[in-house]
Structures are given as structure tokens and as C-alpha cells.
Amino acid sequence: MPIPVGYTIRIDVTGKDQYGNDTNGDRGVNIVFNYSDPSMVQEGGNHDWQRKLLIKKAGDFKAWATFDGVRSNDLALRFQPK
């Protein structure tokens, strides 16, 4: 389901170890959120594990995170005009 421009969404990541258990990582919190087109969103939020994204432009969008050098799966979204 497409998300309208102007909406705010929250993305959340959970660190997992090699056994699939939740972890804060070996090197402390070192999470980087990445976006296929950063101009499509305005990033906000003050939690290491979450970001709030204000949708600014319509189109296909992907987000992913890296944590302790490990890349997450892509989150693929579609934003639509109001």
C-alpha cells in the first residue's frame, strides 16, 4: 500500500547476533540508516534504533541499516502524491 507524501513513518531495527538473539553489538551502538534517495524524506527522531521519516516526494524508496558492519535487508516502500 503506497504511503502519501506528507505522512510520517517510523522505521525500527533490532540487532541480532549470529544465533538470531537480540544484541546491542560488540562495539556499542553504531547504527547507520541508509536511503536510496535521501531527498525523498526528512529524517528525524532521537533514538539510536529508530528513525522518523517525513515523506517529501513520491516514488519508490528503499531503506536499510548497517550495524557493526552488517547490512540489513532492504525495506522497499512506495510513496504517492496526496
Side-chain angles (χ1 to χ4, degrees):
M1 174 181 227
I3 302 165
V5 170
Y7 276 43
T8 298
I9 61 172
R10 183 180 67 203
I11 57 175
D12 189 311
V13 298
T14 302
K16 300 282 184 178
D17 67 15
Q18 64 186 359
Y19 305 106
N21 299 314
D22 290 358
T23 183
N24 286 330
D26 292 332
R27 294 176 244 161
V29 177
N30 186 21
I31 303 164
V32 178
F33 286 81
N34 303 280
Y35 310 114
S36 57
D37 183 350
S39 71
M40 294 178 74
V41 295
Q42 179 180 327
E43 185 182 67
N46 60 358
H47 190 284
D48 292 331
W49 298 89
Q50 298 174 350
R51 294 295 183 272
K52 291 182 182 178
L53 303 177
L54 172 64
I55 311 309
K56 294 171 49 180
K57 294 193 318 191
D60 292 327
F61 179 82
K62 288 185 181 175
W64 64 94
T66 51
F67 173 54
D68 278 352
V70 178
R71 189 183 193 279
S72 73
N73 295 331
D74 289 351
L75 173 65
L77 303 168
R78 176 166 289 159
F79 304 147
Q80 69 180 14
K82 280 187 178 181

